[in-house]
Amino acid sequence: QVQLVESGGGLVQAGDSLRLSCAASGRTFGAYAMAWFRQAPGKERENVAAIRWNGGSTHYGNTFYADSVKGRFTISRDDAKNTVYLQMNSLKPEDTARYYCAASSTWPVISPEYWGQGTQVTVSS
């Protein structure tokens, strides 16, 4: 069982930066791929970024980013702290959404088994 709690969201202006954190509890955190999803009103939930579990690489790569955030967002993890981060730079109004942390036993991430409650990110113009 993995429990996830997000934090770090807030209201910022376009061009600003935020760092989201996801604190995980569970004995096997390091064995899961971690991901950040987001969902805006009227839109489907989308996978923004993901990072594979430690211990190797595949032909799929070790990280994933949606085209809309490549070059601006960076996902990272610290398994010793049971924490995953999403560094968001050069934020745009279209980044406004509720961001969810998720844990997945598969790579690439398709349907994560565990979800956090989400944290709201609002970017004003």
Short mmCIF file of all heavy atoms in Angstrom, two decimals, residues 69-95:
data_model
loop_
_atom_site.label_atom_id
_atom_site.label_comp_id
_atom_site.label_asym_id
_atom_site.label_seq_id
_atom_site.Cartn_x
_atom_site.Cartn_y
_atom_site.Cartn_z
N VAL A 69 4.93 20.59 -21.69
CA VAL A 69 5.74 21.03 -20.56
C VAL A 69 7.23 20.74 -20.74
O VAL A 69 8.03 21.13 -19.87
CB VAL A 69 5.27 20.39 -19.24
CG1 VAL A 69 3.77 20.64 -19.04
CG2 VAL A 69 5.56 18.89 -19.22
N LYS A 70 7.61 20.11 -21.82
CA LYS A 70 9.02 19.81 -22.05
C LYS A 70 9.86 21.08 -22.05
O LYS A 70 9.50 22.08 -22.66
CB LYS A 70 9.20 19.08 -23.38
CG LYS A 70 8.78 17.62 -23.35
CD LYS A 70 9.05 16.94 -24.68
CE LYS A 70 8.68 15.47 -24.63
NZ LYS A 70 8.89 14.80 -25.94
N GLY A 71 10.97 21.01 -21.34
CA GLY A 71 11.85 22.16 -21.24
C GLY A 71 11.49 23.10 -20.12
O GLY A 71 12.28 23.99 -19.79
N ARG A 72 10.30 22.94 -19.53
CA ARG A 72 9.86 23.82 -18.45
C ARG A 72 9.71 23.08 -17.12
O ARG A 72 9.96 23.66 -16.07
CB ARG A 72 8.53 24.48 -18.81
CG ARG A 72 8.60 25.34 -20.07
CD ARG A 72 7.31 26.14 -20.26
NE ARG A 72 6.15 25.27 -20.45
CZ ARG A 72 5.09 25.25 -19.64
NH1 ARG A 72 5.04 26.05 -18.59
NH2 ARG A 72 4.08 24.43 -19.91
N PHE A 73 9.27 21.83 -17.18
CA PHE A 73 9.03 21.05 -15.97
C PHE A 73 10.11 19.98 -15.83
O PHE A 73 10.60 19.44 -16.82
CB PHE A 73 7.67 20.35 -16.03
CG PHE A 73 6.48 21.26 -15.92
CD1 PHE A 73 6.61 22.63 -16.00
CD2 PHE A 73 5.23 20.71 -15.75
CE1 PHE A 73 5.51 23.47 -15.91
CE2 PHE A 73 4.11 21.53 -15.65
CZ PHE A 73 4.25 22.90 -15.73
N THR A 74 10.45 19.68 -14.59
CA THR A 74 11.41 18.63 -14.30
C THR A 74 10.89 17.77 -13.16
O THR A 74 10.56 18.29 -12.09
CB THR A 74 12.78 19.19 -13.93
OG1 THR A 74 13.28 20.02 -14.99
CG2 THR A 74 13.77 18.06 -13.68
N ILE A 75 10.82 16.47 -13.39
CA ILE A 75 10.41 15.56 -12.34
C ILE A 75 11.66 14.91 -11.75
O ILE A 75 12.61 14.60 -12.46
CB ILE A 75 9.44 14.49 -12.87
CG1 ILE A 75 8.87 13.65 -11.72
CG2 ILE A 75 10.10 13.59 -13.92
CD1 ILE A 75 7.72 12.73 -12.14
N SER A 76 11.64 14.72 -10.45
CA SER A 76 12.76 14.08 -9.78
C SER A 76 12.23 13.31 -8.58
O SER A 76 11.08 13.51 -8.15
CB SER A 76 13.81 15.10 -9.34
OG SER A 76 13.27 16.03 -8.42
N ARG A 77 13.05 12.44 -8.05
CA ARG A 77 12.63 11.67 -6.89
C ARG A 77 13.80 11.47 -5.94
O ARG A 77 14.96 11.43 -6.35
CB ARG A 77 12.05 10.31 -7.32
CG ARG A 77 13.05 9.36 -7.97
CD ARG A 77 12.35 8.14 -8.56
NE ARG A 77 11.68 7.35 -7.55
CZ ARG A 77 10.73 6.46 -7.81
NH1 ARG A 77 10.33 6.27 -9.06
NH2 ARG A 77 10.18 5.78 -6.82
N ASP A 78 13.47 11.36 -4.69
CA ASP A 78 14.44 11.07 -3.65
C ASP A 78 13.87 9.91 -2.86
O ASP A 78 13.05 10.09 -1.96
CB ASP A 78 14.67 12.29 -2.76
CG ASP A 78 15.80 12.07 -1.77
OD1 ASP A 78 16.13 10.91 -1.47
OD2 ASP A 78 16.35 13.08 -1.29
N ASP A 79 14.30 8.71 -3.21
CA ASP A 79 13.74 7.53 -2.58
C ASP A 79 14.09 7.43 -1.10
O ASP A 79 13.34 6.84 -0.32
CB ASP A 79 14.21 6.27 -3.31
CG ASP A 79 13.61 6.15 -4.70
OD1 ASP A 79 12.61 6.84 -4.99
OD2 ASP A 79 14.14 5.36 -5.51
N ALA A 80 15.22 8.00 -0.72
CA ALA A 80 15.59 7.99 0.69
C ALA A 80 14.61 8.81 1.53
O ALA A 80 14.41 8.53 2.71
CB ALA A 80 17.00 8.53 0.87
N LYS A 81 14.01 9.82 0.91
CA LYS A 81 13.03 10.66 1.59
C LYS A 81 11.60 10.30 1.23
O LYS A 81 10.66 10.95 1.69
CB LYS A 81 13.28 12.13 1.27
CG LYS A 81 14.62 12.66 1.75
CD LYS A 81 14.78 14.13 1.41
CE LYS A 81 16.10 14.68 1.91
NZ LYS A 81 16.27 16.11 1.56
N ASN A 82 11.43 9.30 0.38
CA ASN A 82 10.10 8.90 -0.08
C ASN A 82 9.33 10.09 -0.65
O ASN A 82 8.16 10.31 -0.33
CB ASN A 82 9.30 8.26 1.05
CG ASN A 82 9.78 6.87 1.40
OD1 ASN A 82 10.65 6.30 0.72
ND2 ASN A 82 9.23 6.29 2.45
N THR A 83 10.00 10.83 -1.51
CA THR A 83 9.42 12.06 -2.04
C THR A 83 9.69 12.18 -3.53
O THR A 83 10.79 11.86 -4.00
CB THR A 83 9.98 13.29 -1.32
OG1 THR A 83 9.73 13.17 0.09
CG2 THR A 83 9.31 14.56 -1.82
N VAL A 84 8.70 12.66 -4.25
CA VAL A 84 8.85 12.98 -5.66
C VAL A 84 8.51 14.45 -5.84
O VAL A 84 7.63 14.98 -5.15
CB VAL A 84 7.97 12.07 -6.55
CG1 VAL A 84 6.48 12.26 -6.23
CG2 VAL A 84 8.24 12.34 -8.03
N TYR A 85 9.20 15.11 -6.76
CA TYR A 85 9.05 16.54 -6.96
C TYR A 85 8.69 16.84 -8.41
O TYR A 85 9.00 16.08 -9.32
CB TYR A 85 10.34 17.28 -6.63
CG TYR A 85 10.90 16.99 -5.27
CD1 TYR A 85 11.87 16.01 -5.08
CD2 TYR A 85 10.47 17.71 -4.16
CE1 TYR A 85 12.39 15.75 -3.83
CE2 TYR A 85 10.99 17.46 -2.90
CZ TYR A 85 11.95 16.48 -2.74
OH TYR A 85 12.47 16.22 -1.50
N LEU A 86 8.04 17.96 -8.58
CA LEU A 86 7.82 18.49 -9.91
C LEU A 86 8.21 19.96 -9.88
O LEU A 86 7.49 20.79 -9.30
CB LEU A 86 6.36 18.34 -10.36
CG LEU A 86 6.09 18.79 -11.80
CD1 LEU A 86 6.80 17.88 -12.80
CD2 LEU A 86 4.59 18.82 -12.08
N GLN A 87 9.35 20.27 -10.48
CA GLN A 87 9.79 21.64 -10.60
C GLN A 87 9.16 22.24 -11.84
O GLN A 87 9.37 21.74 -12.95
CB GLN A 87 11.31 21.71 -10.69
CG GLN A 87 11.87 23.11 -10.87
CD GLN A 87 11.63 23.99 -9.66
OE1 GLN A 87 11.85 23.57 -8.53
NE2 GLN A 87 11.17 25.21 -9.89
N MET A 88 8.41 23.29 -11.67
CA MET A 88 7.69 23.92 -12.77
C MET A 88 8.21 25.34 -12.96
O MET A 88 8.07 26.18 -12.07
CB MET A 88 6.18 23.94 -12.50
CG MET A 88 5.60 22.56 -12.19
SD MET A 88 3.80 22.58 -12.03
CE MET A 88 3.64 23.60 -10.56
N ASN A 89 8.81 25.58 -14.10
CA ASN A 89 9.34 26.89 -14.43
C ASN A 89 8.58 27.48 -15.61
O ASN A 89 7.92 26.77 -16.35
CB ASN A 89 10.83 26.80 -14.78
CG ASN A 89 11.68 26.31 -13.64
OD1 ASN A 89 11.39 26.57 -12.48
ND2 ASN A 89 12.75 25.60 -13.97
N SER A 90 8.70 28.77 -15.76
CA SER A 90 8.05 29.48 -16.87
C SER A 90 6.59 29.11 -16.99
O SER A 90 6.09 28.78 -18.07
CB SER A 90 8.80 29.18 -18.18
OG SER A 90 10.16 29.56 -18.10
N LEU A 91 5.89 29.17 -15.89
CA LEU A 91 4.50 28.75 -15.87
C LEU A 91 3.64 29.63 -16.76
O LEU A 91 3.87 30.83 -16.89
CB LEU A 91 3.97 28.78 -14.44
CG LEU A 91 4.43 27.59 -13.59
CD1 LEU A 91 4.23 27.89 -12.11
CD2 LEU A 91 3.67 26.33 -13.99
N LYS A 92 2.66 28.99 -17.37
CA LYS A 92 1.73 29.64 -18.27
C LYS A 92 0.31 29.49 -17.73
O LYS A 92 0.02 28.55 -16.99
CB LYS A 92 1.81 29.02 -19.66
CG LYS A 92 3.19 29.02 -20.28
CD LYS A 92 3.18 28.29 -21.62
CE LYS A 92 4.55 28.27 -22.25
NZ LYS A 92 4.55 27.53 -23.55
N PRO A 93 -0.58 30.38 -18.11
CA PRO A 93 -1.98 30.24 -17.67
C PRO A 93 -2.57 28.88 -18.01
O PRO A 93 -3.40 28.36 -17.24
CB PRO A 93 -2.69 31.37 -18.42
CG PRO A 93 -1.64 32.42 -18.57
CD PRO A 93 -0.37 31.65 -18.85
N GLU A 94 -2.17 28.30 -19.13
CA GLU A 94 -2.69 27.00 -19.51
C GLU A 94 -2.19 25.86 -18.63
O GLU A 94 -2.65 24.73 -18.76
CB GLU A 94 -2.37 26.69 -20.99
CG GLU A 94 -0.94 26.98 -21.38
CD GLU A 94 -0.77 28.34 -22.03
OE1 GLU A 94 -1.27 29.33 -21.46
OE2 GLU A 94 -0.14 28.40 -23.09
N ASP A 95 -1.25 26.15 -17.74
CA ASP A 95 -0.81 25.16 -16.76
C ASP A 95 -1.75 25.08 -15.57
O ASP A 95 -1.58 24.20 -14.71
CB ASP A 95 0.60 25.47 -16.27
CG ASP A 95 1.65 25.36 -17.36
OD1 ASP A 95 1.56 24.42 -18.17
OD2 ASP A 95 2.56 26.22 -17.39
#
